[in-house]
Amino acid sequence: MKNRIALFIVTFVLAFQFNGSLAFAGDALIKKSMVEAFDQAVIIPYHYQGKAFINGAKRDVYGDHHIVKHNSRIMVPIRLMSYLASEIEDDRSEWQAIWQAQKPKEVLLKNEKLHKTIQFTVNNKTMLVNNKSIKMDVAPQMVNGQIVLPLRSASEALGAHIDWLDGLIVISHEPIDLQHPETKAIKGRILAELEDSRKPISYPNKSIDLLSKFGKKLYFVRTAYGEREHTYTLFERMEGESKEKQVQLPGKPILSYAKVVGDQLIFISLEKDQGTIYAYDLAKNLISKIAPIGQWDKQEGWLSDVRYLDQAWYVTLHYGDLTMGYESIYKVENGALRELASGKNFVTFEKYGEYLYAEDFHFMTGSTRNIAKIDMKTGQSTAIGQPDYTYGVYREVTDQGTSMNYSQSSLYVMDDYLYTIGYKESDPKDKGGVYKINLKDQSQTKLTSATNQFWLIDDKIYYIDAASGTFKMLDTTKGVVKTIIDQKVLNVRLHQGSFYYTVNGKAIAYNAGVLYEYQIASGQNKKRSEHAVSAYYLGKSATYYTLDGYEPGLYRINPDGSSTRLVVGNIRQVIVTEDGVAYMLTYKEGIYSVK
């Protein structure tokens, strides 16, 4: 995955005639308005203020870089173009800008996936595209210590389309209808957002993060970053008031991995290098000790998971670093931890009757038959599944034959059967699917095609088809598969009888996407946002989303399907609870709430 923000404007050059339209735009066929193409384009202003719209979201770009005019041409530093060109590709097609001190006047742009290289030389009108000489109308220049390149030639070589729109530089794969009424209606708003000179709120050597909202109280953590250790302090503040109060917690609390479970804040605290798991009751403002954990290294250990099941706490602790570390699952009994399972990295676990089923994945060496069935009375552990299969993990096989593994927490136990994702380890082409494992005789049946996520609801399996990206449903009683959403779905979540998901033109999960809701009972698929959302939040009584586009803010979806903008501005953090919404802004300090 590309480094998305910090490397944004580093040094690349664009050059075009500054005459109200690009000289090289020509008579290309115009297909989309700016509204339609917004989430698939990259937009920066000529009067650059360190901000850009990238695939539908406003981003802050760090670094002292400047767009300049040279001999009536607009020039932009070289790594900027490589970064922007990467952002209009998919998430595995990246342009790299390679510069060597031994050859200070040369720069090479390289894209491994496209098998393409482009070499530019300062003051030389010839560029080499895959070692083929191509003439440019303007030579690259060295300006203020940065190599800048001609936009027209660079964009043609990179395969990008660039438009000039009243002070905006628009980079995309397809030309945009600059005269479309929708384009004219939003260009002023886009420019106003990008010419915002404010910087994101920062806290030198410290940070402030929302933790929870309970009733009318807002809870947040202040973290002070020291050379040897970080200090965490919990505060509370009433809605509508500015006065805050520190919540006194025992020892030295570690709140970076704290979990909110119901009305309980679960955290580890250190006292003379001895760790203890505590619960802070947000409703009663009371602290209780859950269990001691002994000597604890807060640099290489953390609280991975906490659940309250059948009147008991279940805790997963991680020990050591990511490479050499391991994890253990415990049940809290009589104020002490009783270990149930230990492994490298637990994908998930599920309690069913008197047994605990846990999937462990060793991401460095791989795992086979990696499901443990633990008798919680005796502690006896039994391996589940077939010897040559890895479970709880989706394997993606690339065109080059290499594979990448992703753990997925989809595990269900029902009627003496276990349902999980799996693949055959010895078959390098096997991408896996959903398997049904008989807990009595260990036999298994493959139910679906390759998938990276699924949900079991009664006798139906809903899953994302890995090949097409579409959303499908398998009726296990009839053996019939049906495509219920014929789009590439992203960020799918199940909530109160509906599947929520986003869709964008590049099918990249971390890009902004239009929000939809598929209602299981009615089979209706409804669009829930007009524009591409940056994130969405599912509450008990309402659904919310944030936009970082030209109409930034926090929105609530109303019962009739319309949306109401509750907050105007770019949102840094949101927490949705039964008592409303707490949020922080990107460019304004403070902690706020809204219904």
Side-chain angles (χ1 to χ4, degrees):
M1 185 180 295
K2 298 182 291 292
N3 188 336
R4 304 178 54 206
I5 307 298
L7 297 180
F8 180 76
I9 289 196
V10 193
T11 51
F12 191 132
V13 191
L14 314 146
F16 55 90
Q17 291 186 339
F18 187 53
N19 58 6
S21 64
L22 289 180
F24 57 89
D27 297 321
L29 178 64
I30 305 300
K31 294 183 178 180
K32 295 181 179 179
S33 72
M34 180 70 80
V35 172
E36 296 171 307
F38 186 71
D39 65 347
Q40 300 176 53
V42 173
I43 309 172
I44 57 174
Y46 168 62
H47 297 292
Y48 173 67
Q49 297 291 335
K51 292 179 174 61
F53 279 118
I54 300 177
N55 299 321
K58 185 165 72 175
R59 300 297 182 215
D60 289 278
V61 182
Y62 300 99
D64 186 19
H65 305 285
H66 304 279
I67 297 175
V68 300
K69 185 187 291 188
H70 180 74
N71 292 336
S72 299
R73 302 280 183 160
I74 302 299
M75 311 292 283
V76 182
I78 188 170
R79 295 189 189 274
L80 168 60
M81 191 63 211
S82 64
Y83 176 83
L84 297 180
S86 297
E87 288 299 328
I88 64 171
E89 300 287 347
D90 62 39
D91 59 347
R92 290 183 189 160
S93 181
E94 180 176 6
W95 286 98
Q96 295 177 305
I98 302 171
W99 179 87
Q100 297 177 345
Q102 307 93 303
K103 300 177 180 180
K105 293 187 177 182
E106 295 182 5
V107 66
L108 182 71
L109 296 181
K110 185 177 183 180
N111 190 307
E112 295 284 357
K113 182 175 181 179
L114 298 180
H115 307 292
K116 196 172 187 180
T117 61
I118 310 169
Q119 182 175 308
F120 298 93
T121 304
V122 173
N123 295 324
N124 190 333
K125 289 187 177 181
T126 299
M127 63 177 171
L128 299 177
V129 180
N130 286 350
N131 293 319
K132 180 181 179 181
S133 298
I134 297 179
K135 287 294 183 180
M136 299 180 287
D137 60 346
V138 178
Q141 300 293 315
M142 182 73 74
V143 179
N144 297 326
Q146 300 180 96
I147 298 176
V148 293
L149 307 177
L151 176 63
R152 174 179 180 177
S153 300
S155 63
E156 288 175 350
L158 291 166
H161 186 92
I162 301 179
D163 284 307
W164 169 259
L165 178 62
D166 295 343
L168 296 172
I169 300 169
V170 183
I171 306 174
S172 60
H173 266 311
E174 297 180 0
I176 294 172
D177 187 347
L178 304 182
Q179 302 304 317
H180 195 287
E182 290 182 348
T183 301
K184 293 181 178 181
I186 68 169
K187 65 181 181 181
R189 281 178 279 173
I190 292 175
L191 187 61
E193 289 292 329
L194 293 180
E195 290 189 340
D196 179 2
S197 61
R198 294 179 300 169
K199 302 298 181 183
I201 298 299
S202 62
Y203 305 90
N205 301 318
K206 62 181 180 180
S207 66
I208 299 176
D209 297 284
L210 271 170
L211 192 60
S212 184
K213 181 180 186 298
F214 194 86
K216 294 186 176 182
K217 287 185 179 180
L218 303 173
Y219 290 90
F220 56 97
V221 176
R222 294 183 185 273
T223 305
Y225 300 104
E227 291 185 4
R228 295 186 177 181
E229 64 178 24
H230 304 332
T231 302
Y232 306 92
T233 309
L234 179 64
F235 288 87
E236 65 177 37
R237 180 169 66 77
M238 297 296 292
E239 288 183 297
E241 297 182 4
S242 59
K243 185 178 180 180
E244 59 188 43
K245 174 186 175 183
Q246 180 179 343
V247 178
Q248 297 297 328
L249 301 177
K252 296 181 179 180
I254 307 170
L255 301 178
S256 54
Y257 294 98
K259 315 290 184 184
V260 177
V261 183
D263 57 2
Q264 303 292 312
L265 171 65
I266 313 300
F267 63 96
I268 294 174
S269 188
L270 283 178
E271 297 166 279
K272 297 181 179 180
D273 295 328
Q274 298 293 303
T276 302
I277 303 175
Y278 286 95
Y280 177 65
D281 192 315
L282 301 175
K284 301 177 182 178
N285 297 332
L286 296 176
I287 296 173
S288 59
K289 181 185 293 187
I290 292 181
I293 57 178
Q295 189 170 1
W296 187 255
D297 184 351
K298 65 179 179 180
Q299 302 297 329
E300 295 191 345
W302 55 84
L303 185 64
S304 293
D305 191 12
V306 180
R307 306 186 202 180
Y308 193 68
L309 306 172
D310 298 331
Q311 308 300 311
W313 288 107
Y314 291 80
V315 177
T316 304
L317 297 177
H318 184 96
Y319 300 88
D321 62 16
L322 285 172
T323 303
M324 302 303 294
Y326 66 97
E327 293 186 342
S328 291
I329 301 175
Y330 301 91
K331 180 183 180 183
V332 178
E333 295 180 347
N334 300 319
L337 297 179
R338 181 166 76 90
E339 184 176 302
L340 298 176
S342 182
K344 179 64 180 178
N345 180 56
F346 285 107
V347 178
T348 188
F349 69 86
E350 188 76 18
K351 182 179 179 295
Y352 186 73
E354 297 301 321
Y355 294 93
L356 192 76
Y357 297 85
E359 290 179 327
D360 172 41
F361 177 55
H362 199 306
F363 55 88
M364 294 182 65
T365 62
S367 306
T368 55
R369 209 181 187 197
N370 56 324
I371 308 174
K373 177 183 178 182
I374 301 110
D375 187 320
M376 291 189 293
K377 290 183 177 180
T378 65
Q380 182 178 358
S381 179
T382 305
I384 298 296
Q386 296 297 309
D388 195 24
Y389 281 79
T390 297
Y391 302 100
V393 178
Y394 164 65
R395 177 164 68 177
E396 180 175 322
V397 181
T398 66
D399 295 337
Q400 292 74 31
T402 59
S403 64
M404 290 173 284
N405 299 328
Y406 304 91
S407 59
Q408 295 290 351
S409 55
S410 297
L411 175 67
Y412 299 88
V413 183
M414 184 174 68
D415 298 332
D416 294 323
Y417 289 94
L418 183 145
Y419 299 80
T420 187
I421 291 173
Y423 66 87
K424 192 173 184 179
E425 187 69 43
S426 62
D427 183 356
K429 295 183 179 180
D430 183 17
K431 298 180 180 180
V434 177
Y435 282 86
K436 176 182 179 181
I437 302 175
N438 189 319
L439 295 175
K440 295 180 179 179
D441 60 12
Q442 305 300 303
S443 62
Q444 66 181 28
T445 304
K446 187 175 182 179
L447 300 177
T448 72
S449 57
T451 180
N452 55 18
Q453 196 172 9
F454 79 98
W455 295 261
L456 177 64
I457 303 175
D458 298 325
D459 55 359
K460 295 179 175 61
I461 292 177
Y462 296 84
Y463 66 100
I464 303 170
D465 182 80
S468 64
T470 58
F471 201 55
K472 297 184 176 182
M473 182 270 289
L474 165 67
D475 187 326
T476 59
T477 59
K478 299 178 181 179
V480 177
V481 175
K482 178 183 178 182
T483 299
I484 57 176
I485 302 173
D486 196 15
Q487 297 185 85
K488 291 185 177 182
V489 297
L490 306 165
N491 305 305
V492 183
R493 293 184 228 165
L494 174 64
H495 180 70
Q496 295 181 344
S498 291
F499 284 104
Y500 291 82
Y501 64 97
T502 61
V503 172
N504 60 52
K506 298 178 184 177
I508 299 175
Y510 56 76
N511 281 1
V514 175
L515 179 63
Y516 290 84
E517 177 190 0
Y518 173 80
Q519 298 173 342
I520 297 174
S522 65
Q524 291 183 316
N525 195 35
K526 298 183 178 182
K527 188 177 181 180
R528 290 307 191 191
S529 70
E530 290 302 317
H531 304 300
V533 309
S534 295
Y536 69 92
Y537 308 87
L538 304 172
K540 186 175 181 180
S541 57
T543 297
Y544 305 83
Y545 60 83
T546 58
L547 295 183
D548 284 317
Y550 50 86
E551 294 182 343
L554 172 65
Y555 292 74
R556 181 189 63 224
I557 299 176
N558 302 317
D560 63 359
S562 64
S563 295
T564 299
R565 181 153 63 165
L566 304 175
V567 180
V568 176
N570 295 97
I571 309 297
R572 171 190 163 189
Q573 187 182 2
V574 174
I575 290 181
V576 175
T577 71
E578 295 182 13
D579 301 301
V581 180
Y583 66 93
M584 297 179 70
L585 295 166
T586 302
Y587 302 107
K588 183 179 179 181
E589 189 172 357
I591 295 175
Y592 307 92
S593 63
V594 68
K595 291 291 187 182

